Amino acid sequence: MVDYHAANNQAQQYPGGPQSYMEQENDWDRDLLLDPAWEKQQRKTFTAWCNSHLRKAGTQIENIEEDFRDGLKLMLLLEVISGERLPKPERGKMRVHKINNVNKALDFIASKGVKLVSIGAEEIVDGNAKMTLGMIWTIILRFAIQDISVEETSAKEGLLLWCQRKTAPYKNVNVQNFHISWKDGLAFNALIHRHRPELIDYEKLRKDDPVTNLNNAFEVAEKYLDIPKMLDAEDIVNTARPDEKAIMTYVSSFYHAFSGAQKAETAANRICKVLAVNQENEHLMEDYEKLASDLLEWIRRTIPWLENRAPEKTMAEMQQKLEDFRDYRRVHKPPKVQEKCQLEINFNTLQTKLRLSNRPAFMPSEGRMVSDINGAWHNLEGAEKGYEEWLLNEIRRLERLDHLAEKFRQKATIHESWTDGKEAMLTQKDYETASLSEVKALLRKHEAFESDLAAHQDRVEQIAAIAQELNELDYYDSPSVNARCQKICEQWDALGSLTQSRRESLERTEKQLESIDELYLEYAKRAAPFNNWMEGAMEDLQDMFIVHNIEEIEGLITAHEQFKSTLPEANKEREAIQAIQAEVQKIADYNGIKLSGNNPYTSITPESIDSKWDKVQQLVPQRDQALQEELARQQSNDHLRRQFANQANIVGPWIQNKMEEIGRISIEMNGTLEDQLTHLRQYEQSIIEYKPNIDQLEGDHQLIQEALIFDNKYTAYTMEHLRVGWEQLLTTIARTINEIENQILTRDAKGISQEQLHEYRASFNHFDKDHSGALMAEEFKACLISLGYDVENDKQGDAEFARIMGIVDPNNSGAVTFQAFIDFMSRETTDTDTADQVIASFKILAGDKNFITAEELRRELPPDQAEYCIARMAPYTGPDAAPGALDYMSFSTALYGESDL
């Protein structure tokens, strides 16, 4: 039986709600009496409906247009169905009394928000059937149908949707309207069977026997459900299209008769909704925990590799380490950057969903907070930066070592070649049997050797210095270098001692000898330094060099050109020395002197001078070519620097500009959230499309590293700086999009209008002076005060502000984000499901008991959600507990409090 007092209260809560629908139904005056069958059905149905209420007052009507003419039963009918008192009726028999009574009834109907079109008291008093039926239909619509609502639809659509859902499982039933869908009677029987299966044997009904079906339903409804018979089966079967209003009136009686079952269904739907939210949130929490664990494990495995500073012995081995590092940067790290960004997005989305469903914030297990991930990631990037710097420094060291080692071997070989046989020469006793001239020649020869020995002192010192530097740089083959250097130094000391001893011997002998060949002596003195100059020139022309820029190679080229400019003067010296030897031969020939052999004062022959001079002439163009090749290499390196710098100087400001633009977009309020989301996604796509420029820059950077280029004066941007900027840009735009998506979730879930969101954003931006996207505690307090919150600096205000900060900043970070701000504002103005509402819903399903059974849960809820509840509900231990009783109250409270579900 319908609760008319409740219906009336609902009507007062929604004074404008029914009017639009009522206006749609006011077409009764055009089509009501077009079909006599319809009029007959309406008379019968409306009369039965009126009598079902009038009998509560101990009366009824026989003729619908006659019995309401004096207005008395009409006023009585309205009092019964509304539960309210109407003005006292006039008891006179005159026409004016009747009109006044009907007007009182019509005024009461109008006071309920119903717009009466073309219905006047005179027509009712005159017994106008058309107007009387129209008036009764208006009353039925307002008090029996209007408040029916299913899934936010109303009136006719809500009643139709309820019928469709209730009859959906039944074969041969397809409710699409309120006329022909009911002709075979199966829909009426299905409604009864769905709620009271013991009253109908539905399987025995046949679609081809509509009269039997209709009579069965009407008789059962009247006998067991207290629904009066409002139509005859023949009225429906024998009409091509039964009257819609008659059918609606009849069906509404079924709806109200089963309203208790409807409440149970509504309660079950509420519980299902709450449980679905919890199940989804648990799944999101599990996904977050797994993704966080996997990412942290990858970081844990990677950092020791990056912190391994064990150097390799050769350049090739270290370059392979550098290639492995590049592979890590290009292949292994980018997916992890995306995982980290997605992890933060998932965390923010989960927290938003928890806030929107009035659930406590998600706290990841220890060590898996977003801050823990960020901390581990910071350590990873620190190790990564240190590893790259170590690699490059180590490669520079090995390059320097290889160069020094080769230079040591070259100089050592030259020196060892020069010292070969010198000890034997210094220890011979040839002067003991020599003549005076021969001794003098030996002494002069020895003087020339001493000059030569002194000239080689620099080379020995250079060899020792190179060996010392190799030791300081931890050259892997230092023992062999040290052994060779030690041998050279010991031999050098021995040569010095032997040279001094031989000079002393020759000087003692010189006192006994006199004549000397001045020309030989002059030749020897000039030939020795010239020979040393040529040997030094040959050594310099073959000396290895290493440079790192164009300026250094140009300096070597300049020095080489200066050396070449001295060659003409050196050639003159060579010709002069050769002229001395020619003069010796001329004098000998002139005086008939037979020369005994080579110049006694020197072993440097004119042939050796010419041979070395030719060698110098050959080495000069070779040196030219080597220097030009190195110049070309340095020019190529400079081109690589410029190529990288040109692109880096574009990409760097572009990234910075985009970061600034995203910052501006995140605080502006242009268009709807959907417009902003569309704009941001387009903006994100434009950023993603810029990725080839980053890839090109990576390629240029790889060429620079492969060329062993370690500096670039053309740009302040490093590849590491640009990589970090690019990753931050992608992360920032993804976070900004996620913030807008969460705002849309909040808006839709809380029913916030676009204007409210604009107002919230304007207030937030006004106090966000530094455009950081977050309000510090004092800024947030000022914002609250501007919105009318009493959080001034007194005891009560401080307590209120502490309460609000506990809501918007549960982690005590000291900052309030815009998402937390709108969550708080929407929570202040919007209702959400509460634990009390869920408890009330379970109470309905439990038949008003303080506990519920597994059987009841499985009957009322979908299987997966029923089992979800059974697995988590504790046994009920109250004094009225029955076997198998489950505690739904504690379970409902846990859904909204601290829970480990």
Side-chain angles (χ1 to χ4, degrees):
M1 187 64 65
V2 66
D3 184 349
Y4 290 101
H5 293 285
N8 180 56
N9 291 336
Q10 291 177 3
Q12 291 175 345
Q13 292 173 13
Y14 306 98
Q19 185 167 337
S20 60
Y21 177 69
M22 295 295 293
E23 290 172 350
Q24 296 173 18
E25 292 299 322
N26 280 330
D27 58 355
W28 60 270
D29 59 335
R30 290 191 300 272
D31 63 8
L32 180 64
L33 300 180
L34 292 178
D35 188 335
W38 287 2
E39 180 185 353
K40 178 183 178 183
Q41 291 173 19
Q42 286 187 16
R43 283 176 180 274
K44 186 175 295 184
T45 303
F46 291 179
T47 298
W49 184 85
C50 291
N51 285 335
S52 69
H53 298 294
L54 287 172
R55 70 186 180 187
K56 300 171 188 175
T59 187
Q60 64 178 12
I61 61 173
E62 298 294 337
N63 188 311
I64 197 165
E65 68 266 30
E66 289 295 330
D67 293 347
F68 286 137
R69 290 178 64 183
D70 60 5
L72 296 176
K73 288 188 177 181
L74 179 58
M75 294 178 70
L76 183 60
L77 174 65
L78 290 173
E79 286 186 343
V80 172
I81 63 176
S82 70
E84 299 181 33
R85 296 292 295 178
L86 271 68
K88 185 176 181 180
E90 298 180 13
R91 295 297 180 178
K93 302 295 185 179
M94 298 177 63
R95 176 178 174 82
V96 67
H97 297 137
K98 297 178 180 179
I99 290 175
N100 288 340
N101 287 338
V102 173
N103 273 328
K104 290 177 181 180
L106 296 179
D107 289 343
F108 179 79
I109 296 172
S111 72
K112 299 305 178 183
V114 179
K115 184 177 180 182
L116 297 169
V117 180
S118 302
I119 298 178
E122 291 81 357
E123 287 86 349
I124 304 301
V125 172
D126 292 340
N128 186 318
K130 174 183 176 182
M131 292 300 177
T132 303
L133 290 174
M135 177 189 66
I136 297 303
W137 169 244
T138 300
I139 294 172
I140 293 171
L141 195 61
R142 169 61 184 83
F143 292 101
I145 298 177
Q146 172 189 311
D147 296 316
I148 297 174
S149 176
V150 179
E151 287 193 354
E152 300 181 1
T153 62
S154 63
K156 179 179 178 179
E157 290 80 4
L159 184 59
L160 183 63
L161 181 57
W162 178 79
C163 294
Q164 289 171 339
R165 287 191 170 178
K166 294 301 182 181
T167 61
Y170 293 87
K171 64 182 179 179
N172 296 325
V173 177
N174 182 17
V175 177
Q176 298 296 325
N177 49 55
F178 285 112
H179 37 80
I180 60 174
S181 294
W182 303 84
K183 283 191 66 174
D184 59 12
L186 291 178
F188 284 107
N189 283 276
L191 282 179
I192 298 172
H193 185 269
R194 178 64 182 271
H195 296 91
R196 297 287 300 276
E198 75 279 5
L199 300 180
I200 299 285
D201 189 351
Y202 188 82
E203 294 300 323
K204 290 186 177 180
L205 301 178
R206 302 198 324 272
K207 188 175 180 63
D208 59 359
D209 190 3
V211 172
T212 300
N213 296 341
L214 289 166
N215 283 328
N216 182 67
F218 296 163
E219 291 167 3
V220 169
E222 186 169 36
K223 182 177 180 180
Y224 296 103
L225 303 178
D226 199 25
I227 299 175
K229 186 175 182 181
M230 298 184 183
L231 288 171
D232 291 327
E234 290 75 15
D235 293 336
I236 298 176
V237 174
N238 296 331
T239 305
R241 184 176 185 268
D243 178 63
E244 186 175 57
K245 296 176 179 60
I247 297 295
M248 281 182 64
T249 302
Y250 212 160
V251 171
S252 70
S253 298
F254 283 85
Y255 175 87
H256 292 298
F258 298 132
S259 60
Q262 184 67 25
K263 289 181 181 178
E265 181 177 348
T266 301
N269 288 339
R270 178 186 292 276
I271 292 170
C272 288
K273 177 183 175 183
V274 171
L275 295 179
V277 168
N278 260 59
Q279 289 172 306
E280 180 185 3
N281 289 342
E282 288 176 17
H283 180 67
L284 291 174
M285 293 175 193
E286 292 170 0
D287 287 350
Y288 173 90
E289 291 282 347
K290 183 179 186 306
L291 188 56
S293 297
D294 292 346
L295 186 57
L296 286 169
E297 174 61 20
W298 178 81
I299 294 173
R300 186 191 65 76
R301 294 196 312 269
T302 303
I303 286 180
W305 174 67
L306 292 172
E307 290 178 340
N308 181 11
R309 301 292 192 272
E312 301 294 343
K313 292 182 178 180
T314 67
M315 176 75 80
E317 291 172 320
M318 286 306 299
Q319 285 177 329
Q320 181 58 49
K321 277 184 176 287
L322 181 60
E323 184 59 33
D324 292 341
F325 181 71
R326 288 197 196 104
D327 199 52
Y328 155 80
R329 271 269 180 77
R330 291 192 306 261
V331 178
H332 300 292
K333 185 183 177 186
K336 299 302 177 183
V337 173
Q338 295 176 3
E339 287 181 17
K340 177 177 175 292
C341 178
Q342 189 62 47
L343 189 72
E344 294 181 11
I345 290 173
N346 290 354
F347 181 84
N348 292 336
T349 300
L350 173 59
Q351 298 292 38
T352 297
K353 289 186 175 183
L354 289 171
R355 286 193 295 271
L356 293 179
S357 58
N358 203 23
R359 304 304 195 274
F362 168 54
M363 291 295 293
S365 56
E366 185 176 357
R368 294 183 177 86
M369 293 285 291
V370 171
S371 58
D372 297 323
I373 304 295
N374 289 335
W377 191 264
H378 178 74
N379 295 337
L380 173 75
E381 291 185 331
E384 182 178 307
K385 185 174 184 298
Y387 187 70
E388 184 176 34
E389 291 174 353
W390 173 77
L391 279 176
L392 296 178
N393 289 334
E394 191 64 19
I395 288 175
R396 291 191 191 100
R397 185 181 72 83
L398 288 177
E399 181 189 36
R400 173 71 176 159
L401 282 176
D402 287 349
H403 171 74
L404 287 174
E406 183 58 30
K407 193 169 186 176
F408 173 84
R409 287 189 287 271
Q410 187 182 70
K411 288 187 177 295
T413 299
I414 292 172
H415 178 76
E416 288 166 347
S417 175
W418 178 84
T419 58
D420 184 45
K422 292 296 190 289
E423 289 188 30
M425 178 196 76
L426 291 172
T427 56
Q428 62 184 343
K429 305 294 184 181
D430 52 342
Y431 54 83
E432 293 180 351
T433 58
S435 64
L436 179 59
S437 60
E438 290 172 337
V439 170
K440 287 183 177 291
L442 288 175
L443 184 59
R444 300 299 180 267
K445 182 178 179 181
H446 188 69
E447 289 175 349
F449 173 76
E450 287 180 327
S451 175
D452 197 11
L453 185 68
H456 280 77
Q457 177 70 32
D458 286 343
R459 182 182 293 116
V460 174
E461 291 174 355
Q462 289 176 12
I463 290 171
I466 293 172
Q468 178 64 27
E469 188 171 358
L470 286 171
N471 277 285
E472 291 173 354
L473 293 177
D474 196 23
Y475 182 53
Y476 77 95
D477 199 21
S478 289
S480 64
V481 169
N482 292 337
R484 190 172 185 182
C485 181
Q486 181 67 25
K487 183 178 179 182
I488 288 172
C489 290
E490 290 174 355
Q491 186 188 41
W492 184 255
D493 292 341
L495 287 177
S497 298
L498 291 173
T499 299
Q500 180 63 27
S501 176
R502 183 169 175 81
R503 167 175 269 284
E504 292 172 354
S505 298
L506 288 173
E507 286 178 347
R508 286 194 303 271
T509 306
E510 182 187 20
K511 296 176 182 178
Q512 304 169 9
L513 304 174
E514 291 184 345
S515 59
I516 186 171
D517 187 344
E518 291 297 335
L519 283 174
Y520 271 148
L521 182 58
E522 182 182 359
Y523 174 91
K525 288 182 176 181
R526 294 181 68 173
F530 184 70
N531 184 68
N532 283 332
W533 176 86
M534 287 192 297
E535 288 181 345
M538 287 188 292
E539 183 177 349
D540 290 341
L541 288 171
Q542 297 177 83
D543 192 18
M544 295 180 64
F545 57 84
I546 179 171
V547 295
H548 295 94
N549 53 55
I550 291 179
E551 289 76 10
E552 291 179 1
I553 188 60
E554 286 177 344
L556 291 180
I557 291 174
T558 299
H560 183 59
E561 292 299 322
Q562 291 174 349
F563 166 75
K564 290 198 294 185
S565 68
T566 66
L567 290 178
E569 189 66 27
N571 190 41
K572 290 180 182 179
E573 177 65 10
R574 181 186 65 82
E575 292 173 347
I577 291 172
Q578 298 294 50
I580 293 173
Q581 181 65 25
E583 182 66 17
V584 170
Q585 189 64 47
K586 180 180 177 182
I587 293 172
D589 292 343
Y590 181 79
N591 295 290
I593 300 172
K594 185 176 181 182
L595 297 174
S596 59
N598 295 328
N599 190 323
Y601 303 118
T602 182
S603 61
I604 300 172
T605 67
E607 293 77 16
S608 69
I609 289 176
D610 286 342
S611 174
K612 291 180 179 179
W613 179 255
D614 291 341
K615 181 66 174 176
V616 169
Q617 294 296 97
Q618 293 172 6
L619 290 174
V620 167
Q622 293 176 8
R623 184 72 167 183
D624 282 334
Q625 181 179 354
L627 290 172
Q628 289 303 317
E629 288 175 352
E630 182 61 27
L631 176 62
R633 189 175 79 85
Q634 290 301 327
Q635 288 173 337
S636 173
N637 288 354
D638 203 55
H639 171 72
L640 291 176
R641 290 187 182 97
R642 291 177 184 272
Q643 178 175 295
F644 176 83
N646 290 340
Q647 183 71 359
N649 290 336
I650 294 172
V651 171
W654 183 89
I655 290 175
Q656 181 62 32
N657 182 54
K658 293 300 179 186
M659 288 292 289
E660 293 172 357
E661 287 182 8
I662 293 171
R664 288 196 299 273
I665 290 172
S666 66
I667 65 173
E668 291 175 353
M669 299 176 291
N670 296 324
T672 66
L673 289 178
E674 284 75 11
D675 293 338
Q676 294 176 37
L677 186 59
T678 299
H679 177 60
L680 281 171
R681 283 175 174 160
Q682 292 172 348
Y683 200 80
E684 181 184 41
Q685 186 58 36
S686 71
I687 290 174
I688 292 172
E689 290 172 356
Y690 197 75
K691 180 64 162 56
N693 295 283
I694 305 298
D695 295 338
Q696 177 186 341
L697 209 54
E698 286 283 6
D700 293 343
H701 182 249
Q702 180 173 345
L703 293 176
I704 282 179
Q705 287 197 327
E706 289 173 350
L708 300 178
I709 299 171
F710 304 111
D711 61 338
N712 195 335
K713 65 183 180 181
Y714 301 114
T715 181
Y717 294 101
T718 66
M719 193 65 234
E720 175 64 24
H721 178 230
L722 294 174
R723 283 193 203 104
V724 171
W726 174 251
E727 292 170 1
Q728 288 178 344
L729 180 60
L730 292 177
T731 300
T732 300
I733 186 64
R735 285 173 178 163
T736 305
I737 288 174
N738 181 242
E739 287 176 2
I740 298 298
E741 290 174 335
N742 286 340
Q743 290 176 30
I744 291 174
L745 278 175
T746 302
R747 181 199 65 192
D748 293 344
K750 302 294 187 179
I752 303 173
S753 68
Q754 189 66 37
E755 291 72 17
Q756 284 178 302
L757 280 176
H758 276 296
E759 181 182 349
Y760 294 159
R761 172 55 81 180
S763 298
F764 187 89
N765 289 347
H766 176 76
F767 291 97
D768 184 16
K769 303 297 185 183
D770 58 357
H771 305 301
S772 64
L775 299 181
M776 296 299 102
E778 288 304 315
E779 293 174 331
F780 181 57
K781 177 180 284 189
C783 182
L784 289 176
I785 292 172
S786 73
L787 293 171
Y789 284 82
D790 184 12
V791 290
E792 296 290 350
N793 292 325
D794 55 32
K795 186 173 182 180
Q796 182 176 355
D798 290 344
E800 174 64 6
F801 183 66
R803 179 191 72 82
I804 295 174
M805 283 299 290
I807 295 172
V808 298
D809 184 24
N811 295 324
N812 295 323
S813 67
V816 181
T817 65
F818 180 64
Q819 182 62 43
F821 174 68
I822 62 173
D823 284 345
F824 170 72
M825 295 305 299
S826 61
R827 177 183 293 187
E828 292 290 295
T829 58
T830 311
D831 293 330
T832 58
D833 286 331
T834 65
D836 288 342
Q837 289 174 325
V838 175
I839 289 172
S841 298
F842 272 118
K843 198 174 188 70
I844 291 173
L845 299 187
D848 212 32
K849 300 190 300 295
N850 291 326
F851 60 86
I852 195 167
T853 66
E855 180 183 358
E856 289 169 331
L857 287 169
R858 292 189 176 104
R859 184 178 68 238
E860 299 292 346
L861 299 180
D864 61 327
Q865 294 189 335
E867 299 305 323
Y868 179 87
C869 293
I870 293 168
R872 287 163 172 76
M873 282 186 182
Y876 177 73
T877 57
D880 56 340
L886 299 174
D887 187 351
Y888 62 77
M889 294 186 183
S890 298
F891 172 75
S892 300
T893 303
L895 290 177
Y896 292 87
E898 294 297 329
S899 172
D900 60 351
L901 290 179

